Amino acid sequence: MSRQSSQQSSQQSSQLASQPSDSSQLTFQPTREKRLHLSSAAIESAREKLLTFQKAREEGEEVNEEEEEGYTGSREITIKENVPLEEYLRYRENNMNTSVRMYLCDGKIKIYEVPSAPHAEVAGAIIGFMSIWNMQDFRYGTDATTTLGRGSGREPDVYVRPRHRPRPQQGAPAADRYGNAFPTMMIEVGFSQSLPDLHRTAIRYLGQQTTIQIVLAIKIFGIRTNALTNTSTIALIAALYLRTSPTPLVPTRVISFGTANPDTNTVNYITQQMNVPPGSFVGVGRPDPNNNNNNFPPCNAANIPTYTMNIPGTELFDGVPANNLPAGFPIVPNTLPVGFAAGFNLDLYELQVVVREALNI
């Protein structure tokens, strides 16, 4: 009996040993990926707040400092922190929320803009104008998430990438997970965004982790309504940044091209905080040193030289092999560039028309 009991016990022990334990079963069970979740309530709250910055104001109307036209703080709204870049990229691929614009900055998800007709149509107009100028050598796109660093990624309003710009070598920073080359130009249009937010975005685009050469920022301010005359005007600012400039984080040219002079706080921010020399800040409401400091003429027609923003060809074609460059490259020193080498001339009056039509003013 004792021997039989011992044998049964041995057989049971052997059977138990041959079966996987609960802990080993857990080890081999697939783990569920952590998914980034953003509260719809937080997104909607941020959207409603940003919309207040787009409202028309009667001249002289008292508003909160944050809603003032010349506000020089940030209007970006952080809704999530400590987010890895890979998690954010996966979220953006599967959740392209169209009610707001957001981006990842140093692990923080920030909402910064509400899509609108003036915002979208200005971006679309720039693509159209540049496509007419040169479609064969460039690819024009929107909203593609671009990696700007280990914890940062952003979808530009418009990007311009030469077709023949080589892909980065293995291990070098690339624009995305597909290994694409960075665009040579980024374009940002701000309506809800403050001018300082646009300025900081340009600085991020020109960081050491990218090979972006040009940033064009367009700031649309709020409508000014004069109740006495029943007229509406608007201030508009365009700022061009070049990596090849001796001071790449300072715009090489800023042009006021609206139907109203820029706010005094805006002027002070551009000259004192962005450090733009007075001679590089021209246009509506600005003194012309070549005309006894009288103000520049109004931006009221096409093809006015003051309101033409040149986007240089050398920077647009940066990195393109010589055999893929169009006629006119390289530019011979001390000669006038011709053809595509001269770059693209953007007529800002045409953008003003787009804004006024979109806002019905």
Side-chain angles (χ1 to χ4, degrees):
M1 295 266 310
S2 176
R3 184 181 303 157
Q4 184 178 359
S5 175
S6 176
Q7 289 175 347
Q8 289 176 346
S9 175
S10 176
Q11 289 175 355
Q12 289 174 353
S13 298
S14 177
Q15 289 172 353
L16 287 173
S18 65
Q19 294 177 357
S21 67
D22 289 343
S23 60
S24 64
Q25 287 177 335
L26 290 174
T27 302
F28 290 105
Q29 287 179 349
T31 56
R32 183 175 296 177
E33 281 188 346
K34 181 182 178 182
R35 294 286 181 175
L36 174 64
H37 172 72
L38 299 181
S39 164
S40 57
I43 293 174
E44 183 59 25
S45 174
R47 180 179 180 277
E48 290 298 323
K49 185 174 183 180
L50 290 175
L51 282 173
T52 64
F53 306 139
Q54 299 180 2
K55 293 180 179 178
R57 310 287 181 192
E58 287 190 10
E59 293 181 3
E61 178 183 359
E62 290 189 11
V63 295
N64 296 330
E65 179 188 6
E66 195 178 9
E67 298 176 22
E68 292 178 353
E69 178 180 319
Y71 179 64
T72 55
S74 175
R75 288 177 175 158
E76 297 178 344
I77 301 167
T78 300
I79 61 169
K80 195 86 170 180
E81 297 186 6
N82 302 316
V83 178
L85 177 62
E86 295 74 16
E87 237 179 270
Y88 176 77
L89 295 176
R90 183 166 57 243
Y91 175 85
R92 294 302 282 163
E93 285 185 353
N94 299 309
N95 302 271
M96 289 301 289
N97 191 304
T98 58
S99 67
V100 294
R101 305 275 295 179
M102 65 177 67
Y103 78 111
L104 184 70
C105 177
D106 298 327
K108 298 178 181 179
I109 296 180
K110 299 186 176 187
I111 292 177
Y112 64 92
E113 185 70 75
V114 177
S116 61
H119 177 276
E121 291 178 13
V122 166
I126 295 174
I127 292 177
F129 296 147
M130 293 194 73
S131 296
I132 294 171
W133 168 71
N134 187 335
M135 187 64 192
Q136 65 267 30
D137 293 310
F138 294 100
R139 290 289 178 254
Y140 303 96
T142 64
D143 300 335
T145 303
T146 304
T147 301
L148 303 180
R150 294 185 63 181
S152 300
R154 188 176 177 114
E155 296 88 28
D157 290 324
V158 179
Y159 65 85
V160 183
R161 179 171 28 230
R163 289 180 56 203
H164 301 292
R165 197 179 205 203
R167 287 173 175 262
Q169 295 181 354
Q170 188 173 6
D176 53 34
R177 66 187 183 90
Y178 302 107
N180 281 310
F182 281 97
T184 51
M185 181 177 183
M186 296 295 211
I187 300 165
E188 288 291 333
V189 182
F191 193 9
S192 300
Q193 295 175 84
S194 66
L195 181 61
D197 287 335
L198 281 171
H199 178 56
R200 283 186 285 270
T201 297
I203 291 174
R204 293 187 188 103
Y205 279 144
L206 296 174
Q208 295 181 352
Q209 293 297 311
T210 83
T211 56
I212 298 164
Q213 300 295 303
I214 307 166
V215 179
L216 175 64
I218 304 292
K219 171 57 184 165
I220 304 170
F221 291 95
I223 302 171
R224 301 179 192 173
T225 301
N226 188 318
L228 297 176
T229 61
N230 195 30
T231 57
S232 296
T233 57
I234 192 165
L236 302 169
I237 293 289
L240 184 73
Y241 301 74
L242 299 177
R243 187 183 290 273
T244 54
S245 165
T247 53
L249 305 186
V250 176
T252 58
R253 194 161 186 80
V254 176
I255 303 177
S256 166
F257 65 102
T259 56
N261 295 351
D263 182 89
T264 300
N265 288 336
T266 298
V267 171
N268 291 340
Y269 181 80
I270 292 171
T271 57
Q272 298 173 17
Q273 302 300 314
M274 293 169 63
N275 299 315
V276 177
S280 298
F281 182 14
V282 303
V284 174
R286 299 293 299 153
D288 182 357
N290 298 317
N291 186 25
N292 298 317
N293 282 328
N294 293 317
N295 280 357
F296 282 93
C299 182
N300 58 6
N303 301 316
I304 300 175
T306 299
Y307 303 106
T308 299
M309 182 73 84
N310 177 258
I311 314 298
T314 302
E315 283 79 2
L316 277 171
F317 284 96
D318 177 75
V320 176
N323 61 309
N324 291 125
L325 290 171
F329 276 91
I331 299 175
V332 179
N334 302 319
T335 64
L336 290 174
V338 295
F340 294 127
F344 169 68
N345 287 326
L346 177 62
D347 192 335
L348 295 175
Y349 172 74
E350 300 293 350
L351 296 188
Q352 184 205 104
V353 172
V354 170
V355 173
R356 288 192 287 109
E357 289 180 352
L359 293 173
N360 195 28
I361 59 175

